[in-house]
Amino acid sequence: MNKFLKASLCTALVMFLPLNAQAHRAWLLPSATVLSSDDAWVSIDAAVSNDIFHADHAPMRVEGVTITAPDGTTLTPQNSVTGKFRSVFDVQLPQKGTYKIAMASAGIMATWKTPEGERRMWPGRGEKGNPADVEKNIPKDAKEVQISQFSRRMETFVTSGTPDNKVLKVTKQGLELAPVTHPNDLFAGEAAEFQFLIDGKPAEGVKVTVIPGGMRYRNGQGAIELETDKKGKLTVTWPHAGMYWLSASYRDNKAKKPATARSGSYAATFEVLPE
């Protein structure tokens, strides 16, 4: 299998499966998140790994990345390279303000068992299914049929100059972060307030895990486990400065037909600065 195909399949798989799976985690890691230069650039590592921010499994596919500038325009990744374990690309920040670098997908999936007990699913890995085609793709003799509406989103934010909120506006599609505290205004020892929305409405009971970088060099993950309240809100107090990986997952039964379950996964990288 060639390098590009492997990266493409890996990205498709990651965006299809929960982002907080314990075996492999997907992440976007910026070289910095707050810059003041008049000619500001950041480099982004994109990978799937066992340890947070330690590229040891497979690269992400850069073609799936969307870069949104403060004025809402879309930028193109520059100088992209895909290696054995990670992809790297540069982002020039020509405007002052906050930029969003993201990957997102959404769709519908069905799983079932054959009469012989074998598991099947539709659509296939990396394919996108049309809700209107679900029923005709499930065999009549299928057992334990489950149809789910899903969304996956992965983000990081960088700011040139003074932070602003233009790119923080939510799309009202899937599980999203609606920051109360700006994601580029985080400091060690201080509390940050975040809100999670599902299809634009507050999501109660979102399971959130926050893991500081550097887990390769300590015995435990150092994970902070949190859950959103009735307004979809939670508070994170950062124990020390550094890069952090946040993952969130949500599931309910308020899906659009023909789905009967709705799930969302979200992951983000934040930089916490010294107090």
Side-chain angles (χ1 to χ4, degrees):
M1 182 180 294
N2 65 46
K3 185 186 301 181
F4 178 81
L5 180 56
K6 180 179 179 181
S8 299
L9 291 175
C10 186
T11 299
L13 178 61
V14 168
M15 296 310 291
F16 189 78
L17 296 174
L19 291 170
N20 61 346
Q22 292 300 310
H24 296 125
R25 301 174 172 98
W27 41 266
L28 297 167
L29 179 65
S31 55
T33 63
V34 180
L35 304 100
S36 57
S37 170
D38 289 334
D39 184 25
W41 291 73
V42 293
S43 291
I44 309 291
D45 286 355
V48 182
S49 66
N50 295 292
D51 292 343
I52 299 300
F53 307 145
H54 176 69
D56 62 0
H57 179 62
M60 293 286 288
R61 184 173 60 87
V62 175
E63 286 75 8
V65 172
T66 299
I67 303 167
T68 306
D71 66 355
T73 57
T74 300
L75 305 182
T76 301
Q78 299 188 48
N79 307 319
S80 60
V81 177
T82 297
K84 173 68 174 178
F85 293 125
R86 65 180 176 179
S87 293
V88 181
F89 60 92
D90 294 330
V91 180
Q92 185 177 19
L93 315 178
Q95 306 168 28
K96 294 298 182 180
T98 301
Y99 295 70
K100 179 168 65 176
I101 301 157
M103 298 183 70
S105 67
I108 192 168
M109 63 175 290
T111 61
W112 65 89
K113 284 185 178 180
T114 66
E116 295 74 29
E118 296 179 354
R119 292 190 178 274
R120 296 285 187 270
M121 73 174 187
W122 176 90
R125 300 289 190 195
E127 299 176 354
K128 188 174 180 62
N130 186 331
D133 297 332
V134 174
E135 294 184 356
K136 64 183 180 183
N137 281 280
I138 301 175
K140 299 296 184 182
D141 58 357
K143 309 294 184 182
E144 300 180 25
V145 176
Q146 294 185 346
I147 303 175
S148 301
Q149 169 191 339
F150 71 89
S151 67
R152 307 286 183 260
R153 180 174 291 273
M154 180 166 38
E155 298 176 331
T156 193
F157 304 88
V158 297
T159 294
S160 176
T162 303
D164 60 21
N165 298 320
K166 296 176 183 177
V167 300
L168 304 184
K169 184 178 180 180
V170 297
T171 67
K172 298 184 180 181
Q173 296 181 359
L175 184 64
E176 294 183 276
L177 176 69
V180 179
T181 303
H182 194 285
N184 293 144
D185 192 25
L186 308 176
F187 294 90
E190 294 186 3
E193 186 177 4
F194 294 147
Q195 183 182 35
F196 282 91
L197 307 177
I198 182 73
D199 293 334
K201 296 181 179 180
E204 179 183 2
V206 177
K207 306 293 184 182
V208 176
T209 300
V210 179
I211 302 177
M215 59 184 292
R216 176 178 173 82
Y217 305 106
R218 57 179 183 266
N219 292 328
Q221 293 189 25
I224 302 170
E225 303 291 346
L226 302 164
E227 186 172 329
T228 59
D229 62 17
K230 292 181 179 180
K231 295 182 179 180
K233 293 184 177 181
L234 55 79
T235 299
V236 184
T237 299
W238 312 101
H240 53 75
M243 291 292 190
Y244 286 78
W245 183 78
L246 177 149
S247 70
S249 61
Y250 178 82
R251 187 176 182 86
D252 65 19
N253 60 0
K254 299 178 181 180
K256 297 179 181 179
K257 294 182 179 182
T260 56
R262 176 175 63 169
S263 66
S265 291
Y266 178 90
T269 300
F270 301 114
E271 182 178 30
V272 176
L273 300 174
E275 57 182 327

